[in-house]
Amino acid sequence: MAVTLLNPTGLPKIDAYRQVAVASGSRTIFLAGQVAWDADGVTVGEGDLAAQIEQCYLNIATGLAGVGATFDDVVKLTVYVVDWNPDKFSLFMEGVSRAAEKLGGTPVPPGTLLGVAALDVPEHLVEVEAIAVLD
């Protein structure tokens, strides 16, 4: 495996992700931000943050699979959430948990969550982009 995820001593241990990813692979994959569209371009879970996060993560997994990768190869996730506030964290984790159940493991690479005013389509509540490394 080309990626090792760590929580070094001296940094807070966060259950939702690891603080550091060490990549030793030779191919870097950059996935465009994924929104809650299905394969036909139809928005999944309109008005439902958890459902949209789940779909975004599933779309990331599909994009990774297209190049022979999985979430185990991800070194960084960036999540953009419309009108973010801490009250939405439980919905965020619900969506991640539902995706993890379908994917067979919880994605925990280093991540950044940013609140934004809007995304490209008014129905989209979240967008997730990923960077992965392969041998």
Side-chain angles (χ1 to χ4, degrees):
M1 185 179 324
V3 179
T4 303
L5 302 177
L6 306 166
N7 274 325
T9 302
L11 292 177
K13 183 177 179 187
I14 309 293
D15 290 334
Y17 62 90
R18 301 299 175 262
Q19 294 282 10
V20 175
V22 178
S24 60
S26 58
R27 294 188 317 157
T28 305
I29 292 83
F30 297 89
L31 275 76
Q34 297 298 305
V35 293
W37 276 330
D38 65 13
D40 296 320
V42 175
T43 298
V44 172
E46 191 169 334
D48 183 343
L49 180 61
Q52 289 200 15
I53 289 169
E54 177 184 4
Q55 185 64 42
C56 290
Y57 275 64
L58 295 175
N59 289 348
I60 292 286
T62 299
L64 291 167
V67 295
T70 70
F71 261 100
D72 289 339
D73 302 303
V74 174
V75 296
K76 179 75 165 63
L77 290 173
T78 304
V79 180
Y80 304 90
V81 181
V82 174
D83 296 325
W84 174 258
N85 70 62
D87 294 338
K88 295 182 179 182
F89 189 73
S90 63
L91 292 171
F92 174 81
M93 291 308 297
E94 178 184 337
V96 171
S97 294
R98 289 177 1 197
E101 187 175 315
K102 290 181 179 175
L103 297 171
T106 302
V108 293
T112 300
L113 190 153
L114 300 165
V116 297
L119 294 170
D120 63 328
V121 175
E123 299 84 34
H124 293 160
L125 304 175
V126 62
E127 183 168 337
V128 181
E129 62 184 22
I131 301 171
V133 175
L134 294 175
D135 288 325

